[in-house]
PDB file of all heavy atoms in Angstrom:
ATOM      1  N   GLN A   5      -8.797  -1.834  28.246  1.00 96.00           N
ATOM      2  CA  GLN A   5      -8.703  -3.205  27.735  1.00 96.00           C
ATOM      3  C   GLN A   5      -7.835  -3.276  26.486  1.00 96.00           C
ATOM      4  O   GLN A   5      -7.289  -4.328  26.174  1.00 96.00           O
ATOM      5  CB  GLN A   5     -10.107  -3.733  27.423  1.00 96.00           C
ATOM      6  CG  GLN A   5     -10.972  -3.914  28.651  1.00 96.00           C
ATOM      7  CD  GLN A   5     -12.421  -4.165  28.295  1.00 96.00           C
ATOM      8  OE1 GLN A   5     -13.165  -3.229  27.975  1.00 96.00           O
ATOM      9  NE2 GLN A   5     -12.840  -5.418  28.333  1.00 96.00           N
ATOM     10  N   VAL A   6      -7.738  -2.171  25.779  1.00 98.00           N
ATOM     11  CA  VAL A   6      -6.897  -2.097  24.578  1.00 98.00           C
ATOM     12  C   VAL A   6      -6.156  -0.764  24.602  1.00 98.00           C
ATOM     13  O   VAL A   6      -6.753   0.282  24.891  1.00 98.00           O
ATOM     14  CB  VAL A   6      -7.723  -2.186  23.276  1.00 98.00           C
ATOM     15  CG1 VAL A   6      -6.796  -2.200  22.054  1.00 98.00           C
ATOM     16  CG2 VAL A   6      -8.609  -3.415  23.267  1.00 98.00           C
ATOM     17  N   HIS A   7      -4.875  -0.815  24.294  1.00 97.00           N
ATOM     18  CA  HIS A   7      -4.070   0.398  24.184  1.00 97.00           C
ATOM     19  C   HIS A   7      -3.761   0.623  22.708  1.00 97.00           C
ATOM     20  O   HIS A   7      -3.140  -0.233  22.060  1.00 97.00           O
ATOM     21  CB  HIS A   7      -2.766   0.234  24.982  1.00 97.00           C
ATOM     22  CG  HIS A   7      -1.961   1.491  25.077  1.00 97.00           C
ATOM     23  ND1 HIS A   7      -0.690   1.535  25.590  1.00 97.00           N
ATOM     24  CD2 HIS A   7      -2.255   2.781  24.710  1.00 97.00           C
ATOM     25  CE1 HIS A   7      -0.233   2.768  25.558  1.00 97.00           C
ATOM     26  NE2 HIS A   7      -1.164   3.540  25.022  1.00 97.00           N
ATOM     27  N   LEU A 128       7.341  -0.768  23.509  1.00 90.00           N
ATOM     28  CA  LEU A 128       6.230  -1.655  23.198  1.00 90.00           C
ATOM     29  C   LEU A 128       5.728  -2.295  24.498  1.00 90.00           C
ATOM     30  O   LEU A 128       6.526  -2.849  25.253  1.00 90.00           O
ATOM     31  CB  LEU A 128       6.674  -2.758  22.230  1.00 90.00           C
ATOM     32  CG  LEU A 128       7.015  -2.319  20.813  1.00 90.00           C
ATOM     33  CD1 LEU A 128       7.586  -3.487  20.026  1.00 90.00           C
ATOM     34  CD2 LEU A 128       5.786  -1.766  20.114  1.00 90.00           C
ATOM     35  N   PRO A 129       4.427  -2.226  24.760  1.00 89.00           N
ATOM     36  CA  PRO A 129       3.911  -2.863  25.966  1.00 89.00           C
ATOM     37  C   PRO A 129       4.237  -4.356  25.990  1.00 89.00           C
ATOM     38  O   PRO A 129       4.145  -5.036  24.961  1.00 89.00           O
ATOM     39  CB  PRO A 129       2.402  -2.627  25.866  1.00 89.00           C
ATOM     40  CG  PRO A 129       2.262  -1.406  25.006  1.00 89.00           C
ATOM     41  CD  PRO A 129       3.375  -1.512  24.010  1.00 89.00           C
ATOM     42  N   SER A 130       4.610  -4.859  27.158  1.00 91.00           N
ATOM     43  CA  SER A 130       4.985  -6.274  27.279  1.00 91.00           C
ATOM     44  C   SER A 130       3.780  -7.181  27.389  1.00 91.00           C
ATOM     45  O   SER A 130       3.881  -8.401  27.201  1.00 91.00           O
ATOM     46  CB  SER A 130       5.893  -6.474  28.495  1.00 91.00           C
ATOM     47  OG  SER A 130       5.224  -6.041  29.676  1.00 91.00           O
ATOM     48  N   ASP A 131       2.605  -6.618  27.700  1.00 92.00           N
ATOM     49  CA  ASP A 131       1.388  -7.420  27.750  1.00 92.00           C
ATOM     50  C   ASP A 131       0.191  -6.498  27.517  1.00 92.00           C
ATOM     51  O   ASP A 131       0.324  -5.282  27.414  1.00 92.00           O
ATOM     52  CB  ASP A 131       1.265  -8.162  29.090  1.00 92.00           C
ATOM     53  CG  ASP A 131       1.298  -7.209  30.284  1.00 92.00           C
ATOM     54  OD1 ASP A 131       1.085  -5.991  30.102  1.00 92.00           O
ATOM     55  OD2 ASP A 131       1.555  -7.679  31.405  1.00 92.00           O
ATOM     56  N   GLY A 132      -0.980  -7.101  27.437  1.00 94.00           N
ATOM     57  CA  GLY A 132      -2.196  -6.338  27.175  1.00 94.00           C
ATOM     58  C   GLY A 132      -2.387  -6.099  25.687  1.00 94.00           C
ATOM     59  O   GLY A 132      -1.421  -5.854  24.954  1.00 94.00           O
ATOM     60  N   LEU A 133      -3.624  -6.170  25.243  1.00 97.00           N
ATOM     61  CA  LEU A 133      -3.901  -5.970  23.822  1.00 97.00           C
ATOM     62  C   LEU A 133      -3.488  -4.567  23.392  1.00 97.00           C
ATOM     63  O   LEU A 133      -3.885  -3.577  24.013  1.00 97.00           O
ATOM     64  CB  LEU A 133      -5.374  -6.195  23.514  1.00 97.00           C
ATOM     65  CG  LEU A 133      -5.870  -7.642  23.483  1.00 97.00           C
ATOM     66  CD1 LEU A 133      -7.318  -7.700  23.032  1.00 97.00           C
ATOM     67  CD2 LEU A 133      -5.009  -8.507  22.576  1.00 97.00           C
ATOM     68  N   THR A 134      -2.711  -4.505  22.342  1.00 97.00           N
ATOM     69  CA  THR A 134      -2.135  -3.248  21.872  1.00 97.00           C
ATOM     70  C   THR A 134      -2.268  -3.168  20.356  1.00 97.00           C
ATOM     71  O   THR A 134      -2.103  -4.179  19.664  1.00 97.00           O
ATOM     72  CB  THR A 134      -0.648  -3.149  22.255  1.00 97.00           C
ATOM     73  OG1 THR A 134      -0.513  -3.290  23.669  1.00 97.00           O
ATOM     74  CG2 THR A 134      -0.041  -1.832  21.816  1.00 97.00           C
ATOM     75  N   ILE A 135      -2.568  -1.985  19.851  1.00 98.00           N
ATOM     76  CA  ILE A 135      -2.560  -1.744  18.400  1.00 98.00           C
ATOM     77  C   ILE A 135      -1.583  -0.610  18.129  1.00 98.00           C
ATOM     78  O   ILE A 135      -1.739   0.494  18.661  1.00 98.00           O
ATOM     79  CB  ILE A 135      -3.965  -1.381  17.876  1.00 98.00           C
ATOM     80  CG1 ILE A 135      -4.940  -2.539  18.095  1.00 98.00           C
ATOM     81  CG2 ILE A 135      -3.900  -1.031  16.387  1.00 98.00           C
ATOM     82  CD1 ILE A 135      -6.383  -2.231  17.711  1.00 98.00           C
ATOM     83  N   ILE A 136      -0.568  -0.883  17.324  1.00 96.00           N
ATOM     84  CA  ILE A 136       0.423   0.119  16.925  1.00 96.00           C
ATOM     85  C   ILE A 136      -0.023   0.711  15.594  1.00 96.00           C
ATOM     86  O   ILE A 136      -0.102   0.013  14.576  1.00 96.00           O
ATOM     87  CB  ILE A 136       1.825  -0.485  16.779  1.00 96.00           C
ATOM     88  CG1 ILE A 136       2.236  -1.261  18.043  1.00 96.00           C
ATOM     89  CG2 ILE A 136       2.846   0.595  16.434  1.00 96.00           C
ATOM     90  CD1 ILE A 136       2.428  -0.417  19.254  1.00 96.00           C
ATOM     91  N   ASP A 328       0.339 -12.180  11.373  1.00 96.00           N
ATOM     92  CA  ASP A 328      -0.614 -13.214  10.976  1.00 96.00           C
ATOM     93  C   ASP A 328      -1.834 -12.544  10.349  1.00 96.00           C
ATOM     94  O   ASP A 328      -1.886 -11.318  10.209  1.00 96.00           O
ATOM     95  CB  ASP A 328      -0.982 -14.114  12.156  1.00 96.00           C
ATOM     96  CG  ASP A 328      -1.778 -13.395  13.254  1.00 96.00           C
ATOM     97  OD1 ASP A 328      -2.285 -12.278  13.012  1.00 96.00           O
ATOM     98  OD2 ASP A 328      -1.891 -13.956  14.361  1.00 96.00           O
ATOM     99  N   LEU A 331      -3.521  -9.571  11.881  1.00 98.00           N
ATOM    100  CA  LEU A 331      -2.666  -8.384  11.999  1.00 98.00           C
ATOM    101  C   LEU A 331      -1.834  -8.386  13.277  1.00 98.00           C
ATOM    102  O   LEU A 331      -1.320  -7.356  13.707  1.00 98.00           O
ATOM    103  CB  LEU A 331      -3.506  -7.098  11.910  1.00 98.00           C
ATOM    104  CG  LEU A 331      -4.167  -6.844  10.546  1.00 98.00           C
ATOM    105  CD1 LEU A 331      -5.251  -5.788  10.668  1.00 98.00           C
ATOM    106  CD2 LEU A 331      -3.123  -6.431   9.514  1.00 98.00           C
ATOM    107  N   ARG A 332      -1.689  -9.582  13.883  1.00 97.00           N
ATOM    108  CA  ARG A 332      -0.906  -9.703  15.108  1.00 97.00           C
ATOM    109  C   ARG A 332       0.544 -10.025  14.789  1.00 97.00           C
ATOM    110  O   ARG A 332       0.840 -10.760  13.839  1.00 97.00           O
ATOM    111  CB  ARG A 332      -1.476 -10.811  15.999  1.00 97.00           C
ATOM    112  CG  ARG A 332      -2.876 -10.546  16.510  1.00 97.00           C
ATOM    113  CD  ARG A 332      -3.448 -11.702  17.286  1.00 97.00           C
ATOM    114  NE  ARG A 332      -3.594 -12.879  16.437  1.00 97.00           N
ATOM    115  CZ  ARG A 332      -4.486 -13.846  16.659  1.00 97.00           C
ATOM    116  NH1 ARG A 332      -5.317 -13.770  17.693  1.00 97.00           N
ATOM    117  NH2 ARG A 332      -4.555 -14.887  15.857  1.00 97.00           N
ATOM    118  N   LEU A 333       1.435  -9.479  15.606  1.00 94.00           N
ATOM    119  CA  LEU A 333       2.847  -9.793  15.485  1.00 94.00           C
ATOM    120  C   LEU A 333       3.033 -11.248  15.896  1.00 94.00           C
ATOM    121  O   LEU A 333       2.664 -11.643  17.006  1.00 94.00           O
ATOM    122  CB  LEU A 333       3.648  -8.850  16.380  1.00 94.00           C
ATOM    123  CG  LEU A 333       5.155  -8.770  16.179  1.00 94.00           C
ATOM    124  CD1 LEU A 333       5.500  -8.321  14.762  1.00 94.00           C
ATOM    125  CD2 LEU A 333       5.744  -7.797  17.199  1.00 94.00           C
ATOM    126  N   LYS A 334       3.593 -12.048  15.017  1.00 94.00           N
ATOM    127  CA  LYS A 334       3.652 -13.486  15.261  1.00 94.00           C
ATOM    128  C   LYS A 334       4.419 -13.833  16.531  1.00 94.00           C
ATOM    129  O   LYS A 334       4.057 -14.775  17.247  1.00 94.00           O
ATOM    130  CB  LYS A 334       4.267 -14.195  14.058  1.00 94.00           C
ATOM    131  CG  LYS A 334       3.385 -14.185  12.818  1.00 94.00           C
ATOM    132  CD  LYS A 334       4.075 -14.830  11.630  1.00 94.00           C
ATOM    133  CE  LYS A 334       3.213 -14.754  10.382  1.00 94.00           C
ATOM    134  NZ  LYS A 334       3.903 -15.320   9.182  1.00 94.00           N
ATOM    135  N   ASN A 335       5.487 -13.096  16.810  1.00 92.00           N
ATOM    136  CA  ASN A 335       6.271 -13.417  18.004  1.00 92.00           C
ATOM    137  C   ASN A 335       5.824 -12.649  19.247  1.00 92.00           C
ATOM    138  O   ASN A 335       6.430 -12.771  20.307  1.00 92.00           O
ATOM    139  CB  ASN A 335       7.765 -13.199  17.754  1.00 92.00           C
ATOM    140  CG  ASN A 335       8.121 -11.756  17.465  1.00 92.00           C
ATOM    141  OD1 ASN A 335       7.255 -10.887  17.488  1.00 92.00           O
ATOM    142  ND2 ASN A 335       9.387 -11.484  17.192  1.00 92.00           N
ATOM    143  N   ALA A 336       4.767 -11.857  19.131  1.00 94.00           N
ATOM    144  CA  ALA A 336       4.188 -11.144  20.279  1.00 94.00           C
ATOM    145  C   ALA A 336       2.724 -10.870  19.955  1.00 94.00           C
ATOM    146  O   ALA A 336       2.335  -9.739  19.662  1.00 94.00           O
ATOM    147  CB  ALA A 336       4.939  -9.844  20.558  1.00 94.00           C
ATOM    148  N   PRO A 337       1.875 -11.894  19.980  1.00 96.00           N
ATOM    149  CA  PRO A 337       0.511 -11.776  19.442  1.00 96.00           C
ATOM    150  C   PRO A 337      -0.419 -10.856  20.218  1.00 96.00           C
ATOM    151  O   PRO A 337      -1.552 -10.632  19.778  1.00 96.00           O
ATOM    152  CB  PRO A 337      -0.001 -13.219  19.451  1.00 96.00           C
ATOM    153  CG  PRO A 337       0.880 -13.947  20.410  1.00 96.00           C
ATOM    154  CD  PRO A 337       2.206 -13.278  20.356  1.00 96.00           C
ATOM    155  N   HIS A 338       0.035 -10.296  21.340  1.00 97.00           N
ATOM    156  CA  HIS A 338      -0.799  -9.285  22.008  1.00 97.00           C
ATOM    157  C   HIS A 338      -0.702  -7.942  21.296  1.00 97.00           C
ATOM    158  O   HIS A 338      -1.467  -7.025  21.606  1.00 97.00           O
ATOM    159  CB  HIS A 338      -0.396  -9.127  23.476  1.00 97.00           C
ATOM    160  CG  HIS A 338       0.976  -8.565  23.688  1.00 97.00           C
ATOM    161  ND1 HIS A 338       2.125  -9.287  23.432  1.00 97.00           N
ATOM    162  CD2 HIS A 338       1.402  -7.334  24.132  1.00 97.00           C
ATOM    163  CE1 HIS A 338       3.189  -8.538  23.704  1.00 97.00           C
ATOM    164  NE2 HIS A 338       2.786  -7.356  24.127  1.00 97.00           N
ATOM    165  N   ILE A 339       0.222  -7.838  20.330  1.00 97.00           N
ATOM    166  CA  ILE A 339       0.423  -6.584  19.599  1.00 97.00           C
ATOM    167  C   ILE A 339      -0.085  -6.722  18.165  1.00 97.00           C
ATOM    168  O   ILE A 339       0.325  -7.636  17.431  1.00 97.00           O
ATOM    169  CB  ILE A 339       1.907  -6.187  19.579  1.00 97.00           C
ATOM    170  CG1 ILE A 339       2.409  -5.915  21.014  1.00 97.00           C
ATOM    171  CG2 ILE A 339       2.145  -4.972  18.693  1.00 97.00           C
ATOM    172  CD1 ILE A 339       3.889  -5.636  21.094  1.00 97.00           C
ATOM    173  N   ARG A 340      -0.980  -5.834  17.788  1.00 98.00           N
ATOM    174  CA  ARG A 340      -1.405  -5.725  16.396  1.00 98.00           C
ATOM    175  C   ARG A 340      -0.782  -4.475  15.778  1.00 98.00           C
ATOM    176  O   ARG A 340      -0.502  -3.500  16.477  1.00 98.00           O
ATOM    177  CB  ARG A 340      -2.929  -5.620  16.284  1.00 98.00           C
ATOM    178  CG  ARG A 340      -3.667  -6.937  16.389  1.00 98.00           C
ATOM    179  CD  ARG A 340      -5.174  -6.731  16.235  1.00 98.00           C
ATOM    180  NE  ARG A 340      -5.850  -8.006  16.053  1.00 98.00           N
ATOM    181  CZ  ARG A 340      -6.216  -8.805  17.046  1.00 98.00           C
ATOM    182  NH1 ARG A 340      -5.973  -8.439  18.299  1.00 98.00           N
ATOM    183  NH2 ARG A 340      -6.817  -9.959  16.802  1.00 98.00           N
ATOM    184  N   PHE A 341      -0.625  -4.508  14.468  1.00 96.00           N
ATOM    185  CA  PHE A 341      -0.211  -3.322  13.726  1.00 96.00           C
ATOM    186  C   PHE A 341      -1.344  -2.920  12.791  1.00 96.00           C
ATOM    187  O   PHE A 341      -2.078  -3.768  12.281  1.00 96.00           O
ATOM    188  CB  PHE A 341       1.061  -3.586  12.929  1.00 96.00           C
ATOM    189  CG  PHE A 341       2.311  -3.565  13.763  1.00 96.00           C
ATOM    190  CD1 PHE A 341       2.701  -4.689  14.478  1.00 96.00           C
ATOM    191  CD2 PHE A 341       3.094  -2.423  13.847  1.00 96.00           C
ATOM    192  CE1 PHE A 341       3.847  -4.673  15.266  1.00 96.00           C
ATOM    193  CE2 PHE A 341       4.240  -2.398  14.627  1.00 96.00           C
ATOM    194  CZ  PHE A 341       4.624  -3.520  15.334  1.00 96.00           C
ATOM    195  N   ALA A 365      -9.751  -7.178  17.185  1.00 98.00           N
ATOM    196  CA  ALA A 365      -9.447  -7.070  18.617  1.00 98.00           C
ATOM    197  C   ALA A 365     -10.724  -7.147  19.443  1.00 98.00           C
ATOM    198  O   ALA A 365     -10.742  -7.786  20.511  1.00 98.00           O
ATOM    199  CB  ALA A 365      -8.701  -5.767  18.893  1.00 98.00           C
ATOM    200  N   GLU A 368     -11.813 -10.708  19.622  1.00 97.00           N
ATOM    201  CA  GLU A 368     -10.907 -11.457  20.490  1.00 97.00           C
ATOM    202  C   GLU A 368     -11.252 -11.200  21.958  1.00 97.00           C
ATOM    203  O   GLU A 368     -11.307 -12.135  22.771  1.00 97.00           O
ATOM    204  CB  GLU A 368      -9.465 -11.057  20.203  1.00 97.00           C
ATOM    205  CG  GLU A 368      -8.433 -11.826  21.019  1.00 97.00           C
ATOM    206  CD  GLU A 368      -7.009 -11.448  20.665  1.00 97.00           C
ATOM    207  OE1 GLU A 368      -6.768 -10.965  19.539  1.00 97.00           O
ATOM    208  OE2 GLU A 368      -6.123 -11.639  21.526  1.00 97.00           O
TER     209      GLU A 368
END
Side-chain angles (χ1 to χ4, degrees):
Q5 293 169 281
V6 184
H7 188 189
L128 291 174
S130 59
D131 57 17
L133 285 186
T134 303
I135 297 175
I136 307 293
D328 67 14
L331 294 165
R332 296 175 297 206
L333 194 60
K334 291 177 183 177
N335 64 2
H338 66 288
I339 297 175
R340 280 181 168 84
F341 282 83
E368 182 177 336

